[in-house]
């Protein structure tokens, strides 16, 4: 088994109202040093070792991300790294 993380973020040119709301809230709470916030999604998948990178890209692009407005990144995580 392998752990795969898929990070999905709005494309840079897409407005991010949730990120902007968080940014404004941080300012109201006195955290003036935060200059921008973008909100995305993170998916963690446990997959068989023989699942290919191409299949993972297909899963991400067809189900996890809206490819019109979101970018995504698929990362295989070292399971030893997760255990520590």
């Amino acid at each position: 088994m392998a752990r795969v993380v898929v990070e999905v973020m709005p494309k840079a040119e897409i407005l991010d109202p949730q990120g902007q709301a968080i940014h404004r809230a941080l300012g109201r709470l006195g955290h003036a040093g935060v200059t921008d916030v973008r909100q995305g999604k993170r998916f963690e998948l446990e997959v068989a070792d023989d699942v290919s990178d191409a299949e993972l890209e297909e899963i991400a692009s067809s189900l996890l991300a809206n490819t019109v407005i979101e970018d995504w990144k698929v990362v295989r995580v070292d399971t030893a790294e997760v255990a520590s």
Side-chain angles (χ1 to χ4, degrees):
M1 295 293 271
R3 177 168 293 170
V4 174
V5 173
V6 179
E7 296 175 347
V8 178
M9 294 295 295
K11 290 183 177 181
E13 64 272 18
I14 299 295
L15 292 177
D16 178 9
Q18 292 176 314
Q20 292 173 349
I22 293 167
H23 183 245
R24 287 191 300 272
L26 288 170
R28 286 192 304 274
L29 294 172
H31 301 287
V34 179
T35 60
D36 192 21
V37 176
R38 302 284 289 174
Q39 181 176 345
K41 300 178 274 189
R42 173 186 168 107
F43 300 90
E44 293 186 3
L45 292 74
E46 300 289 334
V47 301
D49 291 332
D50 61 348
V51 175
S52 70
D53 289 347
E55 186 172 359
L56 293 170
E57 289 287 332
E58 172 64 22
I59 291 168
S61 66
S62 66
L63 181 64
L64 304 179
N66 177 343
T67 59
V68 175
I69 62 170
E70 296 174 320
D71 291 323
W72 71 94
K73 178 172 67 173
V74 177
V75 178
R76 288 184 183 263
V77 178
D78 181 359
T79 53
E81 183 180 303
V82 173
S84 61

